[in-house]
Amino acid sequence: MRILLTNDDGVHAEGLAVLERIALRLTHDVWVVAPEHEQSGASRALTLSEPLRVRRLAPQRFAVSGTPTDCVMLAVEELMKDHRPDLVLSGVNRGHNTAEDVTVSGTVAGAIQGMALGVPSIALSQALRVFHDDEVAPFETAETYAPGIIERLQEAGWPTDVVININFPNRKPSEVEAVEVTRQGRRDLHNMMAEKRTDLRGRDYYWMGFTNRRPIVGEDTDLAAVMAGRISVTPLHIDLTHMPTVHALKGVLGGAPPKLRANA
């Protein structure tokens, strides 16, 4: 089995080294194609307005001056075109990727690009207590449990238009409660913020970040599982169509295009 690894924290990230050790427990044929620099929050961004530079670090290890989507695209279509990967693993991200965050996650996007190219793909993330540079991520939890979960997932299989999103709780391996198959959740409040600052020349700028407010979340969701100390396994797909609204609007907008009504 040939496995392709990518991430959004960059080719030198600790989580990627953890992912390599995870992959090597499954196969000896491991390739790494990851961003040269951090691409957190890049979502499915594709670099179109400037060239991509690829730097070879080792026979099967490359750094790309682009996004996770760029990395997987280049790996599957160019760098590994003579022998495509059998599995794409993206991560292990420093911080969980759950609820509505999956739509901006570069980690999840790397897996989605693999799926789009016909390769079974899994995103892996390790939760933190707080998102701060000084916070130590318990990557040993992901490293302990990921190989067995991936192996079981491969045995079971999943649809070709689905990616698997795995989130490990901020717990030591011995403190993990269980594995739970979940649905994507949604917070009751958003935790993104923009902090206004002023530079030394008196010009305002903004620094984007996240608060640490604890949300109320629904049962059976990815975020609820991680908060309760369980490993969350969520099947995701990119069909964002809301079918109840489709059916409701068919009676309003079906047929000939409507003309603007005259003002009363």
Side-chain angles (χ1 to χ4, degrees):
M1 176 172 64
R2 172 166 287 191
I3 298 179
L4 167 64
L5 309 184
T6 194
N7 71 350
D8 70 356
D9 288 333
V11 72
H12 301 297
E14 181 184 1
L16 184 60
V18 172
L19 189 62
E20 288 185 74
R21 294 195 294 270
I22 290 169
L24 286 169
R25 291 176 62 184
L26 302 168
T27 181
H28 294 297
D29 193 359
V30 175
W31 289 61
V32 175
V33 183
E36 184 81 63
H37 305 291
E38 184 176 351
Q39 296 286 331
S40 295
S43 187
R44 290 201 70 205
L46 183 67
T47 302
L48 298 174
S49 58
E50 59 185 62
L52 288 172
R53 307 292 182 183
V54 179
R55 189 162 63 95
R56 188 169 189 164
L57 306 177
Q60 296 182 182
R61 186 180 183 87
F62 300 84
V64 177
S65 64
T67 67
T69 297
D70 295 327
C71 291
V72 176
M73 185 74 178
L74 279 173
V76 176
E77 296 294 314
E78 180 62 30
L79 302 175
M80 304 172 69
K81 62 183 178 182
D82 294 330
H83 185 175
R84 289 161 56 99
D86 303 296
L87 178 69
V88 171
L89 300 179
S90 183
V92 176
N93 191 67
R94 186 177 180 275
H96 60 76
N97 281 301
T98 58
E100 61 269 30
D101 294 347
V102 302
T103 62
V104 298
S105 166
T107 303
V108 174
I112 289 175
Q113 186 60 34
M115 176 272 292
L117 295 172
V119 183
S121 301
I122 301 173
L124 304 96
S125 302
Q126 174 63 61
L128 300 170
R129 182 180 61 87
V130 293
F131 193 77
H132 192 279
D133 283 352
D134 294 335
E135 185 72 12
V136 177
F139 281 118
E140 66 271 16
T141 300
E143 188 169 349
T144 298
Y145 294 113
I149 293 173
I150 294 170
E151 186 176 57
R152 189 68 61 85
L153 284 167
Q154 287 186 292
E155 292 172 355
W158 61 90
T160 57
D161 62 345
V162 168
V163 299
I164 302 297
N165 187 34
I166 305 176
N167 283 275
F168 298 91
N170 180 42
R171 298 277 187 94
K172 296 178 181 178
S174 61
E175 297 173 345
V176 172
E177 298 287 338
V179 179
E180 181 179 352
V181 178
T182 60
R183 61 185 174 89
Q184 180 188 342
R186 185 174 182 180
R187 296 174 178 83
D188 63 322
L189 48 83
H190 77 82
N191 66 345
M192 290 185 287
M193 61 172 290
E195 183 175 285
K196 185 177 180 179
R197 300 180 182 182
T198 304
D199 66 22
L200 295 179
R201 300 183 68 182
R203 295 180 296 192
D204 292 337
Y205 67 98
Y206 295 86
W207 196 277
M208 302 296 290
F210 297 89
T211 69
N212 291 315
R213 293 180 295 184
R214 190 176 180 88
I216 299 173
V217 294
E219 296 181 359
D220 305 322
T221 62
D222 47 10
L223 189 52
V226 170
M227 289 169 60
R230 298 187 291 272
I231 299 170
S232 169
V233 179
T234 313
L236 300 174
H237 62 96
I238 59 174
D239 182 356
L240 304 181
T241 309
H242 187 252
M243 291 309 299
T245 303
V246 168
H247 297 314
L249 290 178
K250 281 184 178 291
V252 177
L253 290 173
K259 295 181 180 180
L260 183 66
R261 295 188 180 121
N263 294 329

